[in-house]
Amino acid sequence: MKNIRLIYENVNDNAFKPYTERVFIDLNDSEPFDWIKLKKLIGKLKKLRKYYRLRKTIIINLGNFTFRDKAIYLIFDMMLYDIIKNTLFEIYVLGEENKNIIQHNNIKNTAFYEIGKKNNGLLEKNGFIKSFEKNKKINKNSYKRLITRNDFSSSDEISSKVITDIGIVLEEFFKDNEWIGDVCEAIGELIDNISAHTDSDCLIDVDVCEATKAVNDDKVYILEIVIMNICKERIFDKVKENIKKQKYDEMNSLYMDIYKAYENHKAFFSKDYKEDDFFNITVFQNGVTSRSYDGCNSGTGLTTLIKKIIGKTTDQYAYVLSGNNVLFFEEDVLLIKDSFIGFNESGDYMCHPPDNKVIKKSDLYFPGTIFRLDLVRSREESHV
């Protein structure tokens, strides 16, 4: 995947001094592997990368590990790939999954898991690189695909092919064909969003796992989706430039309303709700695009699709991360008013700021965009 090195740029490496030939990085504690822990590891790898000409043995101890988020272990795998491919280091990743906590099924499709399991933690270089660079991995309950920029350029049907494959996987677990169709359409929209707003590769990782709720012992299926790209541009940067420089067609009513909303929201900007957060919610208004200055009002609309999808779930966790801006898709604030979604309880995009609970800041600055959806449905109503 292109541009992995960009992830280092906003991470500090000053505190780490890896002067010995054998370097031990201990991440074994009682806490899950979260964004803060990932950021600390990336800082250490950034410092180590400066010694790429030297032979070193790097041992990363995860202990009894649980990854807090599916996106975290995908980035972890990427950083290991960058180090293994571009240095003379020998890398070990030690640890075992915490069996008492639900794990992400598709972790088994990562190169560090696949190769490490075969070699007592050693990430053998050729095997790791071959595993990581495999563009497509499909199992009974999972799908992983890297769409390169060349793939986007050579075929207008690439997202259609991807969602067809994903639909086949989902049909093994869910009997609601309309819901499957909405999920696949949303994934297609997300892929097209990355294609339209950025100039980078796109990684899609989807899996279904079975779990039991602790509260009522209800058997459920959890559909986990990650779609990401790495680039200098955040998903809203081009739209931000077009709005601030008023590049959009002044005869287009959609963009005239957005210009008005921007002026209205300036009064709400603060340390918790910044200008970039406004542009982030604006990207998800139906018809907004950075590639055309006259807008596009066709299609269902990504946010509307997400609302439909989570409306049929018993639980959900959905967000977009771009830079350090996080926008959560909470069902009770995905209200439509005058064709806009305000991400607030009134549904008012034009005159009210988004709810505080949907605007957050990430501990790790991620160059590019991560779309994350966790969708929970009862096994009884889902099972085919």
Side-chain angles (χ1 to χ4, degrees), residues 18 42 63 82 104 131 134 149 174 211 264 314-315 324 352 373:
I42 291 171
D82 177 69
H104 313 272
S131 174
K134 187 175 181 180
R149 201 67 226 174
F174 304 103
N264 293 339
T314 58
D315 201 1
N324 62 1
H352 288 86
L373 296 171

Side-chain angles (χ1 to χ4, degrees), residues 10 29 34 63 75 79 102 106 111 170 183 196 210 220 225 233 239 252 264 285 300 309 338 363 370:
N10 289 278
D29 56 33
D34 59 11
I75 298 170
M79 306 317 296
I102 298 170
N106 229 12
L170 300 187
V183 169
E210 186 176 354
V220 298
I225 301 168
E233 297 83 17
V239 167
N252 185 286
N264 293 339
Q285 304 302 325
T300 307
I309 291 166
D338 299 326
D363 292 303
I370 297 173

Side-chain angles (χ1 to χ4, degrees), residues 216-227:
N216 55 13
D217 290 334
D218 185 23
K219 303 286 186 183
V220 298
Y221 282 132
I222 305 174
L223 171 59
E224 298 188 305
I225 301 168
V226 171
I227 300 172

Side-chain angles (χ1 to χ4, degrees), residues 178-231:
E178 181 182 358
W179 188 76
I180 291 173
D182 288 339
V183 169
C184 289
E185 187 178 352
I187 292 172
E189 289 271 0
L190 290 168
I191 294 169
D192 291 341
N193 215 320
I194 286 176
S195 176
H197 291 285
T198 72
D199 294 302
S200 60
D201 298 341
C202 175
L203 177 67
I204 303 104
D205 193 293
V206 177
D207 73 87
V208 182
C209 64
E210 186 176 354
T212 302
K213 282 192 170 182
V215 178
N216 55 13
D217 290 334
D218 185 23
K219 303 286 186 183
V220 298
Y221 282 132
I222 305 174
L223 171 59
E224 298 188 305
I225 301 168
V226 171
I227 300 172
M228 70 166 70
N229 73 294
I230 305 173
C231 64

Side-chain angles (χ1 to χ4, degrees), residues 355-373:
D355 195 285
N356 287 337
K357 68 182 179 181
V358 304
I359 299 293
K360 302 295 179 184
K361 292 293 177 284
S362 171
D363 292 303
L364 174 70
Y365 184 98
F366 185 81
T369 303
I370 297 173
F371 293 102
R372 182 79 173 86
L373 296 171

